[in-house]
Amino acid sequence: MTTPTQAPMLEVKGLKKIYQRGFIKRQETFRLEADFTIDKPQVVGVMGPNGSGKTTMFELITGSNQPTAGEVLCAGQNIHNVKYRQRDRLAIHYHQSYQVRHFSKTKPSFLMENPVSDYPMIHLFDEPQFNTQDGYIGFMLEFFKKLRAEGRLVFLCVHPNEPFHTKIMREACDQYIFVQKGSVSRAGTYDELLEVDGVRDYLGALAAY
Amino acid sequence: MALFEAIHLHKRFGDQVVLEDISLTFEAGQLSGIMGPNGAGKSTCFNVLTGHYKPNAGKVMFEGKDITGLPPRVIAGMGIARSFQLMNLFDEFTVIENILVALPESVAKSFNIGHDIMGNSSATDRAADVLAKVGLTGRELELAGNLPYGERRALEIGVALASEPRLLFLDEPTQGLGADGTARLEELIGELKKTYSIVIIEHDMKFLFGLADTISVIHWGQVIAQGSPDQLRDNEWVRASKIGDAA
């Protein structure tokens, strides 16, 4: 198995995605900007209001959405230069239970690179369905730890609307990303996250948990 | 040597990864469970294990032999029987005829079954034994289509047992059963597991936790947890859930 080393797990460099509308008079409708590096295998909690750009960020990291500017390096390799079909060997995106696979294809695959890894280095779990009744939460949280122990990077995006959601985020994650209006803030602990501008408003009454 | 082993299975449909590096081991004499939420890849996994789909990578081994990619009828002939999530019975045939046509000698003759085999007393004796195992003694001459749902499910398991399998796969056996039916099925499978090696795919966790020796939890096409029911319950969130109550 090829296991890339040395390079950070994930480098998001000067990444921009700008959506515009109108043909003659171009008008910007949405802009996401991100610039961060994650060196080590970790579980990264992601939160943010609907429409803030979380899913766009995930799509840019997995290479399913083409950035306007900047690059995403997974284990040192620019995922946007990798053959479409093999990008999931670097980063894989699950929304709820299902893998997300929609590519905006800009050039033929034979002109592109093979991935440096043969298993997904980065796992993005976008709003997994948590239900306290069925016990799966316990299995999922143990699985995230297992992936981390195997040297992988895990993103866990949760949209908290119950106290147990914030409990999961507090307990399961090593660091946090908060996405709001297309900009990305980071926090090293859950308590630091609560101090990030906008987080308490976003969580509302759940900020107390 | 394990009775049955799946090693690093990968399965994609087009661009979609459905199974990502699944490894499973089923031991002889045990009841192994596979569970997972809807869309987790359980049925695909089952279809790869029983030869209905070919994996893109990885191996399936039965009794030390590589059976990867062999057609289902060859795998069945090697001693692996399976039931389906949707029932697979001859409704216009009687209960005992459904069993008779599944006996190895009928399968070998394939055509000209039915009346011919009804006269074969050793076959009818064995069919009666199978029906006794699944609790359908006394229902031999009923049309399969007239049986209540729970008994149809039992008959379907009987059809699988008629082939004298060394490994029995059951796909969502509680599907469509009410609480009573599920309880009766649990009792039936509890009996069968004394003599058969069984693999069950189920989303009814309580049912599986009550029966299985080991359980593999599949989600996102991956094995996210594996162990005995007690090992799996050893987690704060699992203890607080309804499978925790069952402990």
Side-chain angles (χ1 to χ4, degrees):
Chain A
M1 206 174 252
T2 26
T3 311
T5 45
Q6 300 111 14
M9 295 287 312
L10 175 67
E11 286 175 273
V12 173
K13 287 182 169 173
L15 191 67
K16 278 191 191 131
K17 179 74 192 185
I18 299 166
Y19 289 104
Q20 295 178 315
R21 121 180 116 204
F23 286 106
I24 299 152
K25 197 168 169 227
R26 302 287 274 174
Q27 214 181 359
E28 192 171 304
T29 53
F30 182 78
R31 168 188 288 257
L32 174 80
E33 292 191 43
D35 201 314
F36 60 88
T37 300
I38 297 170
D39 290 312
K40 291 185 309 211
Q42 288 203 313
V43 180
V44 180
V46 179
M47 288 201 265
N50 286 329
S52 61
K54 297 187 301 279
T55 298
T56 303
M57 184 176 82
F58 280 180
E59 288 172 353
L60 292 167
I61 291 174
T62 53
S64 66
N65 195 337
Q66 197 65 25
T68 311
E71 52 185 24
V72 175
L73 305 181
C74 299
Q77 186 175 29
N78 185 339
I79 197 165
H80 294 275
N81 292 342
V82 173
K83 293 176 179 162
Y84 298 105
R85 203 178 159 157
Q86 293 179 42
R87 289 183 186 174
D88 60 33
R89 298 302 88 194
L90 293 177
I92 196 161
H93 179 187
Y94 294 95
H95 183 250
Q96 295 177 346
S97 291
Y98 298 93
Q99 193 199 348
V100 182
R101 268 347 246 163
H102 308 289
F103 287 113
S104 50
K105 299 190 178 178
T106 54
K107 62 176 164 177
S109 271
F110 70 87
L111 293 174
M112 303 179 116
E113 299 166 12
N114 287 316
V116 295
S117 165
D118 54 18
Y119 62 85
M121 302 289 296
I122 303 174
H123 289 246
L124 301 105
F125 298 101
D126 200 350
E127 303 190 7
Q129 284 160 321
F130 290 128
N131 171 344
T132 52
Q133 287 301 297
D134 66 14
Y136 280 110
I137 296 178
F139 305 140
M140 293 190 222
L141 298 184
E142 289 300 319
F143 181 57
F144 300 151
K145 287 188 206 161
K146 176 174 166 265
L147 288 173
R148 179 180 63 193
E150 289 173 353
R152 314 199 200 190
L153 174 60
V154 175
F155 282 87
L156 172 59
C157 175
V158 172
H159 195 55
N161 45 35
E162 303 222 35
F164 78 87
H165 291 140
T166 54
K167 177 174 155 70
I168 289 172
M169 291 307 266
R170 201 184 258 282
E171 290 175 7
C173 305
D174 304 306
Q175 61 163 295
Y176 301 87
I177 284 181
F178 183 63
V179 185
Q180 192 173 36
K181 292 182 186 146
S183 75
V184 172
S185 319
R186 291 178 69 190
T189 65
Y190 192 80
D191 290 323
E192 268 175 57
L193 174 71
L194 289 175
E195 301 317 311
V196 169
D197 207 22
V199 171
R200 282 180 185 277
D201 284 344
Y202 164 67
L203 288 174
L206 292 173
Y209 288 93
Chain B
M1 182 185 66
L3 179 63
F4 190 101
E5 247 183 308
I7 306 161
H8 299 302
L9 291 180
H10 286 260
K11 178 69 189 169
R12 340 173 135 247
F13 292 117
D15 281 345
Q16 201 85 18
V17 173
V18 184
L19 302 180
E20 170 71 45
D21 199 11
I22 295 237
S23 293
L24 300 166
T25 303
F26 308 135
E27 300 289 347
Q30 292 215 322
L31 194 150
S32 312
I34 296 175
M35 66 180 205
N38 287 333
K42 293 192 298 292
S43 286
T44 304
C45 182
F46 210 60
N47 282 324
V48 171
L49 298 182
T50 53
H52 291 258
Y53 294 150
K54 205 172 165 172
N56 296 94
K59 270 205 294 194
V60 184
M61 310 282 289
F62 178 55
E63 295 181 329
K65 290 187 282 283
D66 188 344
I67 61 166
T68 321
L70 293 180
R73 68 183 162 78
V74 175
I75 291 179
M78 294 172 86
I80 297 178
R82 72 166 285 186
S83 75
F84 290 83
Q85 199 170 343
L86 299 168
M87 297 223 215
N88 221 8
L89 295 170
F90 297 112
D91 285 349
E92 307 289 308
F93 279 38
T94 62
V95 166
I96 196 154
E97 283 167 338
N98 268 279
I99 301 292
L100 284 167
V101 297
L103 290 174
E105 58 259 48
S106 324
V107 174
K109 286 177 194 152
S110 59
F111 297 105
N112 195 18
I113 43 162
H115 295 304
D116 185 13
I117 200 160
M118 282 297 272
N120 177 342
S121 65
S122 90
T124 47
D125 284 354
R126 273 187 303 113
D129 285 348
V130 170
L131 289 176
K133 280 183 192 160
V134 296
L136 290 176
T137 304
R139 311 290 262 158
E140 291 84 355
L141 300 178
E142 200 81 51
L143 286 184
N146 292 344
L147 291 182
Y149 203 81
E151 292 188 355
R152 287 170 59 82
R153 184 60 79 187
L155 178 55
E156 215 207 358
I157 294 173
V159 168
L161 293 180
S163 68
E164 294 162 12
R166 290 196 296 286
L167 179 59
L168 174 63
F169 279 96
L170 302 175
D171 190 2
E172 306 241 355
T174 69
Q175 173 93 8
L177 295 180
D180 279 1
T182 302
R184 271 200 296 277
L185 185 69
E186 187 168 345
E187 206 176 304
L188 166 62
I189 294 175
E191 273 308 305
L192 294 177
K193 79 175 221 186
K194 294 175 187 162
T195 32
Y196 292 94
S197 308
I198 304 176
V199 178
I200 300 184
I201 290 217
E202 236 334 305
H203 68 265
D204 184 333
M205 303 173 86
K206 242 177 155 163
F207 177 81
L208 209 51
F209 267 68
L211 283 170
D213 299 300
T214 63
I215 296 175
S216 303
V217 183
I218 294 186
H219 197 5
W220 302 300
Q222 304 168 69
V223 178
I224 66 165
Q226 222 159 19
S228 67
D230 284 343
Q231 287 166 335
L232 293 175
R233 276 196 197 101
D234 186 19
N235 172 293
E236 167 199 1
W237 293 95
V238 182
R239 273 196 302 273
S241 74
K242 64 182 180 210
I243 35 180
D245 296 339

